[in-house]
Amino acid sequence: PAKCASTYDVTYQKLTGGKTIHKQVIASHGNSISLTDEFDSCSEYEIRVSAVVGDEYSEENIVTFLTPPETDSAARLDPIAQPFLNSVIAKWKGSEKLSCVSEYITSICKEG
């Protein structure tokens, strides 16, 4: 963000489609802006930002970002466990339900 800009021209869109949002955002304290819109979880967005001073616009800065999954999203994975004598294989379809997660941490606990 530019130190002398009082507003920023912001455009963003979900990369897999959806409507394009365009707005002018007032500069927050320091060198940042804050978008409080609701973004879909586990989705990739492109954001374009230009500083606005009077009627002049800076060069556009383009960034992509990935929103995190919802905190309870692992509950929807429905894992299937295949037990063996000294091991277990656990499978789930994470790519269908949590496309933004590339790595999982699992735990196996002994009952009783």
Side-chain angles (χ1 to χ4, degrees):
K3 290 184 180 180
C4 57
S6 59
T7 59
Y8 294 93
D9 191 63
V10 179
T11 303
Y12 59 91
Q13 180 178 21
K14 194 173 177 179
L15 287 181
T16 57
K19 66 179 182 177
T20 300
I21 308 294
H22 179 257
K23 59 175 65 179
Q24 292 234 329
V25 179
I26 296 173
S28 302
H29 296 293
N31 292 336
S32 66
I33 59 172
S34 179
L35 297 175
T36 57
D37 301 331
E38 296 222 4
F39 292 94
D40 293 339
S41 65
C42 221
S43 298
E44 190 171 16
Y45 287 85
E46 178 182 84
I47 184 167
R48 297 168 177 261
V49 180
S50 296
V52 181
V53 178
D55 60 351
E56 293 185 32
Y57 289 73
S58 71
E59 230 177 271
E60 200 171 54
N61 189 3
I62 303 169
V63 176
T64 59
F65 66 95
L66 186 65
T67 56
E70 295 174 2
T71 55
D72 65 345
S73 58
R76 293 179 289 193
L77 289 177
D78 301 321
I80 298 168
Q82 296 175 315
F84 296 94
L85 183 60
N86 293 318
S87 62
V88 65
I89 294 176
K91 299 178 182 181
W92 58 87
K93 295 181 179 178
S95 61
E96 291 177 5
K97 299 181 181 183
L98 291 172
S99 60
C100 66
V101 178
S102 61
E103 186 175 303
Y104 296 87
I105 297 174
T106 60
S107 297
I108 308 244
C109 302
K110 185 176 181 179
E111 288 185 3

